[in-house]
Amino acid sequence: MMAAPAAKFNQIPSDGKAMSAVIELDKLGVSLAGRPILSDLSVSISGRSIGLLGPNGAGKTTLLHTLLGFHKASAGTARVFGKDIGTEAKALREMTGYMPENESFIAGISAVKFVRLMAELSGIPPWGALERAHEALYYVGLGEARYRNLETYSLGMKQRVKLAQAIVHAPKLIILDEPTNGLDPPARLRMIKLIREIRESGKVHLILSSHLLRDVEECCDEVLVLKQGRIAAYCNLEEEHKSNKRFIELEAHGGSDKMAEALGDRGIEWASSGKDRIKLILPETLRIHDLFRIADERGIQIRRLDHKRDSLQDIFMKAMEGESVGGL
Amino acid sequence: MAVYERNYKGYQGELTPHWARFLVLPRTTFRLVFASKMFLIFFIASLLVPLVMASWVYLSHNMGIVEKAFNIQLDGFAQVNADVFLAFMGVQIMPMGFVLVLIVAPSLVSADLANNALPLYLARPFNRTDYILGKMSVLIILLSAVTWIPHGLVFLLQSYFSGWQWFVDNIRIGIAIFIFSWVWILTSSLVALALSALLRTKRVIRLSLFAVYIIFSGFGMFLYGALKLPYGLNLSLVITQQRVAEGLFGTQAEIPDMSAFSAWVSLIVFCAISVYILFRKIRAYEEVK
């Protein structure tokens, strides 16, 4: 379970400039128009794909904009690939691709000219930029529509052309802000598939901001949950899933109280999760067979038993219910 | 990688130098600008002025042809001096150059703001200064093509006909053509871009440009004429530009109450305000207060 212990993410390691860290925040604070939006963010993240979760107004987009150098830090520092966002912004943008949340395009030009322009602005020479623009548009599935003007594109196509311009210069880090915003289910699936393909290419790191838990769960290895401008939780989804292997939910018929009492007597952590339902963490010393034996001894029937993984939704809901952790 | 492979790949090729990347913007914009028939007509029309000037220079050195053709005497009629160059420059700038600015400038920044394109530019190794330089260079290149380049060539033509001594004696005209063109291009470009950043629709931007150039001038003349406020003239971009031109060409000032110095100060203030507006408005995202 994510648990979000302060020590786990509240401190940058003593070798804070470890090359493996993608993002390092050290007491980062950002104020816009005098209002604090982000406060005291400290974390070091090194995953290949990082999910940024939080309700609307939690500060996800502000954090992304700060990493891109759009907003100045009012306190603390932030580093991406070891480069300070304040002093090395240009070098940082050289290795970053950004897909903005809102509809963004250049009027009056075709997709291929648009993506070529973006590649050239990133420093690719004109001949290479044109070639890569074609490739990027084919890659996102817009090969047939690449000579059409951007104004004629549907929302789903505009999202994909935004992705194409974000990857055309082969950045080391791609920042995706709500990439599935406004997409219908098939378009969303296409976008998620693309993002997963990019992640699995192993050549790039991803930061995906979304308020859709499924998007993050499907695309990310690590998740940072923000709440009211502070870090509410941070977890490695793969480790969470591993640690939840012995997390069990059962439905006991004929006396769930007695079953719970018996579990408690054996030192098993449990919690009621509804009528006749009990969630428990099975200790290493016990097997599932032992649960049936305990129930049998009390004359209780176990009618359903699931290996319950702590879903991202659980993690997120717990983070939202709890106070910000560790004095963050 | 060929397109049929369709997978994500890195880039190991060479990169263009940072300083040259702003030039990507004019190249892209020119494709759009020259696609407009209205622009093309005015662009060609604005080249007629230096053509007429060149013809004037040619005829002034070949009066015999005209006298013979029309059987008339034209002694001293077509003299070429600073007044003539300034008069032709005046026509070239107002209305021809001004119309080109009216056609091209309004959508330069406003379209990007309306379509939320600035985050796309500024998320790259391309900052606000690069963006403004890129957009300005669209106007600088276009307006150079119809001001100092053709008029400079006419000056060289005149020097060719009149000889080296004339060139040495009148080098001030050549310098004035170059400096005044740049002063006009820079002030006009900055003011136009600032209005394009400040306002969103082309029509409103064109009206505002018209107001800054024409109505401000009228208001300035009113303050100067009716209320006897000499500094009223400094509100007029047209009059201040004219005064600067007169100073550079060394011709007689039409409005003696305005010094060339105060005209320069006014232009600098216009430019400073425009730069301030541009840097306020050209941001990836606007802070909502």
Side-chain angles (χ1 to χ4, degrees):
Chain A
M1 172 41 230
M2 61 54 197
K8 187 176 172 187
F9 61 87
N10 194 23
Q11 290 169 356
I12 291 175
S14 54
D15 62 339
K17 290 181 182 176
M19 288 307 286
S20 58
V22 180
I23 300 171
E24 295 167 274
L25 310 180
D26 184 14
K27 295 184 169 53
L28 180 73
V30 177
S31 295
L32 298 179
R35 267 186 310 140
I37 306 296
L38 300 175
S39 311
D40 210 17
L41 304 187
S42 294
V43 68
S44 178
I45 307 173
S46 54
R48 184 150 289 282
S49 63
I50 302 152
L52 203 53
L53 271 177
N56 293 334
K60 304 185 294 292
T61 300
T62 305
L63 178 57
L64 296 183
H65 288 178
T66 307
L67 295 178
L68 284 163
F70 293 166
H71 304 313
K72 279 189 181 149
S74 53
T77 56
R79 290 176 167 273
V80 179
F81 293 124
K83 294 192 184 300
D84 190 287
I85 57 161
T87 55
E88 294 166 284
K90 214 163 189 173
L92 195 56
R93 288 180 195 150
E94 196 99 53
M95 55 173 85
T96 308
Y98 173 53
M99 177 181 173
E101 177 185 1
N102 302 321
E103 196 171 294
S104 306
F105 62 95
I106 292 166
I109 57 174
S110 64
V112 73
K113 282 179 184 166
F114 166 66
V115 178
R116 180 194 178 178
L117 168 67
M118 290 294 125
E120 285 189 56
L121 292 179
S122 292
I124 299 179
W127 55 91
L130 183 61
E131 189 187 336
R132 286 196 66 91
H134 285 292
E135 289 169 5
L137 287 165
Y138 264 102
Y139 182 67
V140 300
L142 290 173
E144 301 301 319
R146 66 194 192 279
Y147 292 112
R148 270 171 57 185
N149 260 24
L150 291 169
E151 288 96 327
T152 66
Y153 273 25
S154 67
L155 181 61
M157 292 166 93
K158 279 179 183 164
Q159 289 288 78
R160 278 187 281 162
V161 86
K162 278 197 291 179
L163 180 62
Q165 64 80 32
I167 63 173
V168 68
H169 55 297
K172 277 172 73 180
L173 172 69
I174 303 176
I175 296 177
L176 307 166
D177 197 355
E178 308 275 6
T180 57
N181 223 2
L183 297 183
D184 58 24
R188 180 191 162 273
L189 284 177
R190 264 200 305 271
M191 179 61 76
I192 293 293
K193 186 170 164 272
L194 277 170
I195 294 169
R196 291 180 67 155
E197 271 178 33
I198 293 169
R199 183 189 69 176
E200 280 152 22
S201 73
K203 294 169 184 163
V204 66
H205 290 267
L206 288 172
I207 302 177
L208 188 150
S209 162
S210 181
H211 61 275
L212 299 176
L213 302 180
R214 251 181 92 190
D215 290 359
V216 172
E217 197 155 32
E218 287 176 30
C219 300
C220 299
D221 313 321
E222 293 182 30
V223 177
L224 188 68
V225 184
L226 293 181
K227 180 188 173 189
Q228 293 170 355
R230 290 167 183 269
I231 295 174
Y234 166 75
C235 71
N236 183 313
L237 283 178
E238 205 175 330
E239 280 176 18
E240 290 299 329
H241 289 160
K242 277 181 195 163
S243 71
N244 286 323
K245 271 185 180 166
R246 295 176 68 81
F247 199 90
I248 287 170
E249 186 175 55
L250 58 82
E251 191 175 316
H253 182 73
S256 62
D257 294 348
K258 279 193 284 178
M259 183 70 193
E261 192 186 323
L263 294 171
D265 290 346
R266 282 167 174 75
I268 299 171
E269 283 185 55
W270 64 273
S272 173
S273 62
K275 188 173 178 287
D276 292 340
R277 287 184 186 178
I278 299 168
K279 275 184 180 179
L280 60 98
I281 299 168
L282 196 66
E284 294 289 330
T285 52
L286 291 180
R287 289 176 301 161
I288 288 178
H289 175 76
D290 295 323
L291 293 176
F292 284 100
R293 193 173 44 75
I294 292 166
D296 186 44
E297 284 169 4
R298 300 289 195 281
I300 299 161
Q301 292 176 357
I302 293 178
R303 290 195 167 173
R304 195 170 62 82
L305 187 142
D306 289 329
H307 279 277
K308 174 77 171 65
R309 299 172 102 185
D310 214 2
S311 70
L312 185 57
Q313 186 168 1
D314 294 327
I315 295 168
F316 182 73
M317 293 313 291
K318 280 172 196 163
M320 288 303 104
E321 283 162 15
E323 289 298 309
S324 293
V325 186
L328 287 164
Chain B
M1 180 195 78
V3 288
Y4 63 84
E5 288 179 26
R6 296 188 192 183
N7 63 11
Y8 186 80
K9 70 160 192 175
Y11 178 76
Q12 274 88 39
E14 59 176 293
L15 294 176
T16 53
H18 278 284
W19 66 265
R21 289 186 198 168
F22 75 93
L23 292 169
V24 175
L25 293 189
R27 212 185 59 226
T28 313
T29 312
F30 285 147
R31 286 198 202 108
L32 291 174
V33 165
F34 280 97
S36 157
K37 281 180 187 160
M38 187 169 70
F39 170 80
L40 209 57
I41 290 166
F42 271 99
F43 187 74
I44 293 167
S46 60
L47 291 174
L48 292 178
V49 179
L51 204 63
V52 172
M53 174 76 186
S55 308
W56 180 289
V57 168
Y58 178 78
L59 290 176
S60 70
H61 292 278
N62 296 279
M63 280 298 179
I65 299 171
V66 182
E67 287 172 349
K68 210 171 179 180
F70 296 100
N71 198 21
I72 49 174
Q73 287 291 314
L74 291 171
D75 284 345
F77 174 75
Q79 275 187 347
V80 178
N81 54 27
D83 287 319
V84 174
F85 271 101
L86 181 56
F88 273 97
M89 282 292 287
V91 176
Q92 181 71 334
I93 282 164
M94 206 64 151
M96 304 312 284
F98 180 64
V99 171
L100 288 182
V101 173
L102 275 183
I103 294 171
V104 178
S107 58
L108 282 180
V109 180
S110 65
D112 286 341
L113 287 170
N115 296 313
N116 197 30
L118 286 176
L120 299 172
Y121 288 108
L122 302 178
R124 292 172 190 279
F126 194 75
N127 58 26
R128 287 190 289 175
T129 310
D130 295 328
Y131 179 83
I132 293 168
L133 269 178
K135 293 291 179 180
M136 264 185 81
S137 49
V138 173
L139 291 171
I140 289 172
I141 294 167
L142 280 178
L143 297 175
S144 292
V146 297
T147 53
W148 65 269
I149 294 174
H151 284 270
L153 289 173
V154 173
F155 173 75
L156 292 178
L157 183 72
Q158 164 65 16
S159 305
Y160 170 75
F161 282 128
S162 300
W164 176 250
Q165 194 53 48
W166 187 93
F167 176 79
V168 172
D169 292 343
N170 294 279
I171 189 70
R172 181 179 182 163
I173 296 174
I175 294 168
I177 288 170
F178 183 75
I179 294 178
F180 174 61
S181 296
W182 273 94
V183 168
W184 181 78
I185 289 168
L186 288 177
T187 48
S188 303
S189 304
L190 280 171
V191 169
L193 285 182
L195 288 173
S196 179
L198 204 58
L199 307 162
R200 293 292 158 99
T201 58
K202 279 188 194 176
R203 193 171 295 173
V204 176
I205 296 163
R206 284 190 180 126
L207 281 173
S208 310
L209 261 171
F210 194 76
V212 168
Y213 271 85
I214 310 298
I215 300 174
F216 267 39
S217 298
F219 183 62
M221 291 295 275
F222 169 76
L223 291 179
Y224 172 70
L227 304 178
K228 307 291 177 208
L229 290 171
Y231 289 106
L233 293 174
N234 292 63
L235 282 177
S236 166
L237 204 48
V238 178
I239 294 169
T240 47
Q241 284 172 342
Q242 188 190 331
R243 187 66 193 88
V244 165
E246 286 164 354
L248 288 169
F249 278 90
T251 56
Q252 196 180 355
E254 281 186 24
I255 301 169
D257 283 351
M258 179 191 264
S259 68
F261 176 75
S262 79
W264 276 101
V265 171
S266 291
L267 289 186
I268 290 166
V269 171
F270 269 111
C271 290
I273 293 169
S274 302
V275 169
Y276 174 77
I277 291 170
L278 281 169
F279 275 91
R280 288 284 299 174
K281 301 302 285 186
I282 308 292
R283 287 171 189 270
Y285 287 96
E286 210 163 343
E287 284 181 24
V288 180
K289 295 194 177 179

